[in-house]
Amino acid sequence: LSGTVPVELSNLHKLQKLSLEYNQLNGTIPKEFNSLTEVLELTLNNNMFIGGIPSEIGYLAKLKILWLTGNQLNGSIPKELGGLSKLEQLLLNNNMFSGAIPSSFCNLTQLRILYLGYNQLNGTIPSEFGFLSELVDLQLQNNTVSGTIPSEIGNLAQLQIIYLQRNQLHGHIPTELGSLQKLTDLSINMNKLSGAIPSELGELANLQYLWMQQNQLNGTIPTELAKLKKLVDMSMNDNRLSGSIPRELGKLPQLQFMWLQNNRLSGTLRNEFGSLAALIELMLANNTLSGTLPSVLGDLAGLTTLYLEENMISGSIPRELGNLTQLEHLWLNNNALRGVIPSELGNLMNLLSLNLSSNALSGTVPRELGIQYLPSTEIYLYNNEALSGDISFLCENGTNRTIYVNETMNDVVCSCCVL
């Protein structure tokens, strides 16, 4: 369907459901819809409506569902929507709304789903949201909302999903969030949050996704997070976290993604990490980790990404890493690794990139890294001056494979390498 919505629809006074979603309707939403006094569901999402939401919509006293997602609506959100006391679902995301979130929303005591993400909203999150006792899903992501996260959100016992990412929120993470026993998703990344990670978050027994990367968080990682037995994704990268990584995190049976790169973490890699049987990505780059690489990392059979570059890791590369047959990216560069490159790395048939540069590796490069074994792998070897021998076999047969070395590796011969 295309064109504008006929105003005459407003004459259907007994209409209970008006569903026009996923069309090419344009123009404005008729203010005459306020005469649809029996309507329960009004779904106009994914069209091309422009203009604002008519304030008259706020007088549809029986309305339970209002979906306006995915249009080109703009202006402020009418405070009159706070009068829809029966409303259960309010979806206004993916439009161009601006201005503040109306505090009148506190009257929507039956509201279960509130989507305001992907707009141009500003102002603060109203503390009155703490009155939305039935709220299950709160999504405010990708706006310019500022201020702090209201502690009153911790009163919302039914809440399962919080998406507040990509805003300008500051201040501390409220300890009261630890009371949200039904919470499965907590996304507060890409804000300006500071302070420590509350240990109370370890009480979120149903939490699966914990995203708090790209903030200004500091302090240590609470050991209490090891109680999150359902956790799938722990992303805390690009903060100012310090101290060691708690060994207790090795007891998270469902963890698939651990992103802790670009912090100030220290200490050693724990043997307990070898128990993270579900792990797919382990990203610890650009910290100050020291000690040796635990051989038990070779037990992580499903691992596809291992980023440990730019730390202070020493010792040799464990040959057990050759057991990681699903591995696609292995980056160990810019550490203090010594010894030879294990031939077992030639077992990594899915490897796309191998970065061993800027270490103190020695000996010859094993032929098992040759093109017949790892045909798709880019290999970085530069700044390992003690490597020696002819490594032209790494890129023979006229392939497009790229091998990176540098002129200081005087004992290496390579006819096809890139300096």
Side-chain angles (χ1 to χ4, degrees), residues 280-345:
I280 295 174
E281 295 185 1
L282 178 58
M283 302 177 67
L284 306 177
N286 195 20
N287 282 288
T288 57
L289 299 172
S290 58
T292 60
L293 291 175
S295 61
V296 293
L297 292 179
D299 296 336
L300 302 175
L303 202 65
T304 65
T305 303
L306 180 57
Y307 284 165
L308 299 176
E309 72 269 20
E310 297 191 48
N311 279 289
M312 299 163 56
I313 300 170
S314 58
S316 59
I317 300 173
R319 65 178 184 274
E320 289 83 359
L321 295 187
N323 297 332
L324 302 175
T325 54
Q326 301 302 311
L327 203 62
E328 298 177 357
H329 302 284
L330 175 57
W331 286 48
L332 304 177
N333 53 290
N334 293 82
N335 279 289
L337 296 169
R338 297 182 175 274
V340 299
I341 300 172
S343 61
E344 288 82 358
L345 296 186

Side-chain angles (χ1 to χ4, degrees), residues 397-410:
N397 299 330
T399 66
N400 293 323
R401 189 188 202 199
T402 305
I403 310 299
Y404 297 90
V405 297
N406 63 330
E407 62 275 3
T408 62
M409 298 169 65
N410 297 321

Side-chain angles (χ1 to χ4, degrees), residues 238-404:
D238 294 272
N239 279 290
R240 302 170 183 174
L241 300 173
S242 58
S244 60
I245 303 172
R247 66 175 69 247
E248 291 84 356
L249 297 186
K251 299 176 182 179
L252 295 173
Q254 298 187 39
L255 193 66
Q256 296 181 17
F257 302 94
M258 180 184 283
W259 287 19
L260 299 176
Q261 71 271 25
N262 301 324
N263 278 292
R264 301 169 182 175
L265 298 169
S266 58
T268 61
L269 289 171
R270 307 295 192 178
N271 282 326
E272 288 80 2
F273 283 4
S275 300
L276 296 172
L279 203 62
I280 295 174
E281 295 185 1
L282 178 58
M283 302 177 67
L284 306 177
N286 195 20
N287 282 288
T288 57
L289 299 172
S290 58
T292 60
L293 291 175
S295 61
V296 293
L297 292 179
D299 296 336
L300 302 175
L303 202 65
T304 65
T305 303
L306 180 57
Y307 284 165
L308 299 176
E309 72 269 20
E310 297 191 48
N311 279 289
M312 299 163 56
I313 300 170
S314 58
S316 59
I317 300 173
R319 65 178 184 274
E320 289 83 359
L321 295 187
N323 297 332
L324 302 175
T325 54
Q326 301 302 311
L327 203 62
E328 298 177 357
H329 302 284
L330 175 57
W331 286 48
L332 304 177
N333 53 290
N334 293 82
N335 279 289
L337 296 169
R338 297 182 175 274
V340 299
I341 300 172
S343 61
E344 288 82 358
L345 296 186
N347 298 329
L348 305 179
M349 299 298 292
N350 290 300
L351 203 62
L352 300 176
S353 62
L354 172 62
N355 196 335
L356 304 177
S357 61
S358 299
N359 280 289
L361 300 171
S362 58
T364 59
V365 177
R367 295 196 66 85
E368 285 80 0
L369 300 187
I371 197 71
Q372 67 271 38
Y373 300 99
L374 305 179
S376 302
T377 309
E378 285 193 343
I379 299 179
Y380 301 79
L381 297 174
Y382 56 85
N383 292 338
N384 284 288
E385 282 75 14
L387 288 176
S388 60
D390 188 343
I391 60 172
S392 299
F393 65 88
L394 292 177
C395 45
E396 60 193 4
N397 299 330
T399 66
N400 293 323
R401 189 188 202 199
T402 305
I403 310 299
Y404 297 90

Side-chain angles (χ1 to χ4, degrees), residues 126-331:
S127 60
E128 291 86 354
F129 274 14
F131 295 113
L132 303 178
S133 58
E134 299 299 318
L135 199 63
V136 172
D137 192 343
L138 174 61
Q139 300 196 18
L140 307 178
Q141 71 271 32
N142 290 74
N143 282 287
T144 56
V145 176
S146 59
T148 60
I149 301 174
S151 60
E152 289 83 357
I153 288 179
N155 298 331
L156 305 179
Q158 304 302 317
L159 203 56
Q160 296 179 21
I161 295 173
I162 299 177
Y163 285 173
L164 302 179
Q165 70 269 24
R166 290 179 181 265
N167 278 290
Q168 298 179 20
L169 297 169
H170 63 260
H172 293 189
I173 300 170
T175 59
E176 290 83 358
L177 297 186
S179 301
L180 301 173
Q181 290 299 300
K182 294 186 178 182
L183 200 67
T184 62
D185 295 41
L186 177 57
S187 181
I188 52 178
N189 51 293
M190 301 184 75
N191 280 288
K192 300 177 181 179
L193 299 170
S194 59
I197 299 171
S199 60
E200 288 83 356
L201 297 186
E203 302 302 320
L204 301 174
N206 288 295
L207 197 66
Q208 298 179 38
Y209 299 95
L210 179 58
W211 294 319
M212 49 181 60
Q213 67 269 27
Q214 292 181 260
N215 279 290
Q216 300 167 21
L217 300 172
N218 55 35
T220 60
I221 299 173
T223 58
E224 289 82 358
L225 298 186
K227 296 190 290 184
L228 303 176
K229 300 303 181 184
K230 295 183 180 181
L231 197 63
V232 172
D233 191 332
M234 174 189 291
S235 296
M236 302 178 180
N237 52 287
D238 294 272
N239 279 290
R240 302 170 183 174
L241 300 173
S242 58
S244 60
I245 303 172
R247 66 175 69 247
E248 291 84 356
L249 297 186
K251 299 176 182 179
L252 295 173
Q254 298 187 39
L255 193 66
Q256 296 181 17
F257 302 94
M258 180 184 283
W259 287 19
L260 299 176
Q261 71 271 25
N262 301 324
N263 278 292
R264 301 169 182 175
L265 298 169
S266 58
T268 61
L269 289 171
R270 307 295 192 178
N271 282 326
E272 288 80 2
F273 283 4
S275 300
L276 296 172
L279 203 62
I280 295 174
E281 295 185 1
L282 178 58
M283 302 177 67
L284 306 177
N286 195 20
N287 282 288
T288 57
L289 299 172
S290 58
T292 60
L293 291 175
S295 61
V296 293
L297 292 179
D299 296 336
L300 302 175
L303 202 65
T304 65
T305 303
L306 180 57
Y307 284 165
L308 299 176
E309 72 269 20
E310 297 191 48
N311 279 289
M312 299 163 56
I313 300 170
S314 58
S316 59
I317 300 173
R319 65 178 184 274
E320 289 83 359
L321 295 187
N323 297 332
L324 302 175
T325 54
Q326 301 302 311
L327 203 62
E328 298 177 357
H329 302 284
L330 175 57
W331 286 48

Side-chain angles (χ1 to χ4, degrees), residues 112-130:
R112 299 182 73 251
I113 299 175
L114 178 59
Y115 288 1
L116 300 178
Y118 297 94
N119 280 291
Q120 300 167 20
L121 298 172
N122 53 37
T124 62
I125 301 173
S127 60
E128 291 86 354
F129 274 14

Side-chain angles (χ1 to χ4, degrees), residues 49-117:
F49 290 113
I50 61 173
I53 301 175
S55 60
E56 290 82 358
I57 297 293
Y59 301 110
L60 300 176
K62 295 185 179 181
L63 195 64
K64 292 185 177 182
I65 294 175
L66 178 59
W67 292 355
L68 301 178
T69 296
N71 283 288
Q72 300 170 30
L73 299 169
N74 56 30
S76 58
I77 299 172
K79 64 180 183 299
E80 287 82 2
L81 296 187
L84 299 172
S85 59
K86 300 288 181 66
L87 201 64
E88 297 177 3
Q89 299 180 21
L90 177 58
L91 277 58
L92 306 180
N93 52 297
N94 294 83
N95 281 287
M96 296 182 288
F97 292 119
S98 57
I101 301 168
S103 59
S104 62
F105 279 10
C106 68
N107 298 318
L108 304 177
T109 55
Q110 301 301 311
L111 198 65
R112 299 182 73 251
I113 299 175
L114 178 59
Y115 288 1
L116 300 178

